[in-house]
Amino acid sequence: MPCAVDWESEKRFSTKRQRVDRLQESRPFGDGKKYTVKEYQAMADDFFAKWLAAKHAPKASPEGAPPPPPLSGAALYAALEEDYWDAVDRGAEAVEVEYGNDVDVHEFWSGFPKPDGDKADLSVAKLEGVPYGSDAYYARTGWNLNNIASWPGSVLRHFTVSVPGVTSPWLYLGMLFSTFSWHNEDNYLSSINYHHVGGPKQWYGVPGEKASAFENVVRRFYKQRLQEVPDLLHHMNTQFSPSKLAAHGVPVYKLVQEPGTFVVTFPQAFHSGFSYGFNCGEAVNFAMPHWIEHAKLANERYRRIGRLAVLGHDRLIFTLARYVDELDADACVMLRDELKRLVREDVVSRARLYADGVRDISSVVAPPKNNTDVIDAAACDYDDKRVCAVCRHTCFLSAVACNCSQTTVCCLRHVNYLCKCPPANKYLIEWESKDQLDAIVDKVNERLGDPGTAGQGQVSPDASPKPPPAA
């Protein structure tokens, strides 16, 4: 597919400065210059040419012998890969590059043609009769990364608000040695990366099932730094050699991504890499219903380290319950189990807090009911205002607040950390009653052909004592 980036545009995008020889130090990247695409390519090509001339120019041959050919293809990539890890691991000389990462396709360009019409109308059926390879095909296909989040079967299709990099792509403009450091995706989503044009990318990957082993190695080498920054790997500025991982029993796989190819990463899989020259790629997250199991793990992990999730876990789970008819049986079981877990924790916690003296104000003040038709800008703005002050979890079903603050709330797990006020000063806000929560679980059970089991594992009304509301 011809790349749709406007190469003649006068718009300038921002870059990040990367000291390749200091990538092991896990320090934030500095701001680089701003470039047009042509200016960035000229700078990148000049850097590439100078590096080859200095490091890999053909050596003089004996008199009369023809000069050896310059390195190319796999031999060139192997030599540059060795140069890269020499710089990262040993830092023998200062090497600085600039990376045009996270370029917003709405503000700048996409390498794919922008789709016309309603994204909710996307489907394979709409491609019938559209000639493969035509502009209309590329604009409407699900392989267009502008469309994948809205494609049938996508969990993220219920978002009507754009979440850059997650539901809408980011463009990446790279140069020799520009680096995407070790990370796995937000909320343990999958990702898909398309290489439009330019020099290849070198990728390294660790399977999601080995994520814990990977993190153990990171803790071994970055113990002090992790005390300062618990979510270090989410900052995407820490790079270290695959040989360190392999030496500690962590399997690492690698591939070279050429133009015209996709790379897919699966939930929880760590990955990193760098570019072999000027290039242009594009990437976005995606999720199918079976991602629910990974979403739960990510949600609990983020709460432990106090990291704000990019996607509100509870809202997405309850939105999926509204569209349960779109899910297959296996996904329904996952959804049902996660719903029951969330509901049970919330209802049990409410009962405990009311018994401890936290006030029930549900009969006095009724907050606006959660809308799970779509996840739009209004919903996301509202969620931003009810984030737990302790663990950064979005308080979707209920929250606790105190008279001592008009803005601070916490989730039901962390009431004792909210403030030093006595329980009688605190009050619990319920966005969904227990009966409403039971009805949602009932709907999923009915989809599974198992009506009447929604209350299993939940708390009976008698177990949820509520004192009369305090004045």
Side-chain angles (χ1 to χ4, degrees):
M1 183 197 70
C3 182
V5 168
D6 183 0
W7 304 105
E8 304 299 325
S9 174
E10 293 299 314
K11 281 187 176 182
R12 284 183 164 81
F13 60 91
S14 300
T15 61
K16 291 294 183 184
R17 286 186 296 106
Q18 297 180 325
R19 277 286 299 273
V20 180
D21 56 303
R22 301 183 67 177
L23 287 174
Q24 287 196 102
E25 297 176 10
S26 69
R27 300 295 173 183
F29 300 138
D31 292 331
K33 298 178 183 178
K34 291 187 175 182
Y35 296 90
T36 65
V37 180
K38 275 193 167 182
E39 290 169 346
Y40 183 82
Q41 181 174 3
M43 179 276 295
D45 288 346
D46 182 62
F47 179 91
F48 182 86
K50 288 178 178 177
W51 186 271
L52 288 193
K55 303 289 184 179
H56 301 292
K59 296 180 180 178
S61 300
E63 188 174 344
L71 290 175
S72 62
L76 176 60
Y77 302 155
L80 292 174
E81 183 182 25
E82 189 172 338
D83 291 345
Y84 177 81
W85 290 113
D86 276 346
V88 173
D89 288 342
R90 289 183 278 281
E93 61 178 304
V95 181
E96 184 174 276
V97 298
E98 293 182 83
Y99 188 21
N101 63 322
D102 302 348
V103 177
D104 192 334
V105 299
H106 295 296
E107 184 180 354
F108 292 92
W109 330 269
S110 170
F112 297 93
K114 295 290 182 67
D116 53 352
D118 185 4
K119 281 193 175 183
D121 196 35
L122 292 170
S123 70
V124 175
K126 298 296 180 180
L127 287 172
E128 290 181 3
V130 178
Y132 177 79
S134 65
D135 291 343
Y137 179 88
Y138 289 131
R140 298 288 294 175
T141 178
W143 291 102
N144 182 329
L145 299 194
N146 292 290
N147 298 339
I148 193 169
S150 302
W151 199 258
S154 165
V155 165
L156 304 181
R157 68 185 312 213
H158 305 297
F159 280 82
T160 61
V161 62
S162 173
V163 182
V166 178
T167 65
S168 63
W170 267 329
L171 199 71
Y172 294 86
L173 293 151
M175 61 182 291
L176 180 62
F177 301 148
S178 61
T179 299
F180 52 105
S181 302
W182 286 109
H183 68 287
N184 53 20
E185 299 298 314
D186 292 318
N187 291 74
Y188 294 167
L189 292 161
S190 298
S191 74
I192 181 167
N193 182 297
Y194 183 73
H195 192 334
H196 288 291
V197 294
K201 288 182 182 176
Q202 179 68 58
W203 286 72
Y204 305 94
V206 172
E209 65 182 5
K210 297 297 183 180
S212 294
F214 176 96
E215 290 167 353
N216 288 338
V217 175
V218 174
R219 280 190 284 269
R220 179 187 180 99
F221 287 99
Y222 292 93
K223 184 176 181 179
Q224 180 62 41
R225 187 69 175 137
L226 283 165
Q227 291 177 354
E228 302 169 7
V229 187
D231 61 341
L232 178 69
L233 287 171
H234 299 291
H235 292 240
M236 291 180 60
N237 55 17
T238 304
Q239 185 71 319
F240 50 90
S241 172
S243 62
K244 287 184 178 179
L245 295 167
H248 290 85
V250 180
V252 184
Y253 300 84
K254 70 176 187 175
L255 64 85
V256 174
Q257 183 188 18
E258 300 281 357
T261 60
F262 290 96
V263 169
V264 172
T265 71
F266 292 104
Q268 251 182 304
F270 279 95
H271 47 284
S272 74
F274 65 92
S275 293
Y276 282 119
F278 168 77
N279 57 29
C280 175
E282 195 161 348
V284 74
N285 289 125
F286 72 96
M288 295 178 288
H290 299 81
W291 161 76
I292 291 169
E293 284 290 313
H294 301 282
K296 176 178 68 176
L297 296 174
N299 183 56
E300 292 302 310
R301 171 68 179 275
Y302 292 171
R303 296 185 76 169
R304 287 198 300 273
I305 63 176
R307 178 174 187 254
L308 182 65
V310 173
L311 303 181
H313 175 77
D314 294 12
R315 177 178 289 282
L316 185 51
I317 291 297
F318 279 85
T319 300
L320 289 177
R322 191 177 188 88
Y323 298 96
V324 66
D325 291 340
E326 298 178 0
L327 306 180
D328 64 24
D330 289 342
C332 278
V333 171
M334 293 180 189
L335 178 62
R336 190 267 312 276
D337 291 348
E338 180 61 358
L339 279 171
K340 289 177 69 173
R341 184 184 74 87
L342 295 174
V343 169
R344 177 172 176 74
E345 178 183 343
D346 203 81
V347 174
V348 169
S349 297
R350 290 181 193 182
R352 174 177 52 80
L353 292 171
Y354 288 137
D356 288 345
V358 174
R359 290 177 294 155
D360 171 25
I361 62 168
S362 56
S363 62
V364 180
V365 178
K369 188 178 178 181
N370 287 319
N371 175 22
T372 54
D373 290 341
V374 294
I375 303 175
D376 55 14
C380 292
D381 289 343
Y382 189 31
D383 287 350
D384 288 344
K385 297 174 177 64
R386 47 176 176 166
V387 172
C388 175
V390 180
C391 70
R392 309 290 288 160
H393 179 68
T394 300
C395 303
F396 183 72
L397 300 180
S398 55
V400 171
C402 184
N403 292 335
C404 69
S405 173
Q406 295 185 5
T407 57
T408 304
V409 299
C410 73
C411 71
L412 273 52
R413 291 184 187 179
H414 294 113
V415 175
N416 292 336
Y417 300 91
L418 177 62
C419 61
K420 295 182 179 180
C421 298
N425 274 30
K426 299 180 175 69
Y427 53 92
L428 199 154
I429 307 166
E430 297 181 7
W431 276 273
E432 310 283 347
S433 70
K434 179 184 181 300
D435 289 343
Q436 291 169 328
L437 295 176
D438 283 348
I440 293 169
V441 181
D442 274 338
K443 181 180 178 182
V444 180
N445 277 319
E446 290 169 5
R447 170 73 174 82
L448 287 166
D450 188 19
T453 60
Q456 290 183 2
Q458 297 181 27
V459 177
S460 67
D462 292 340
S464 305
K466 294 185 179 182

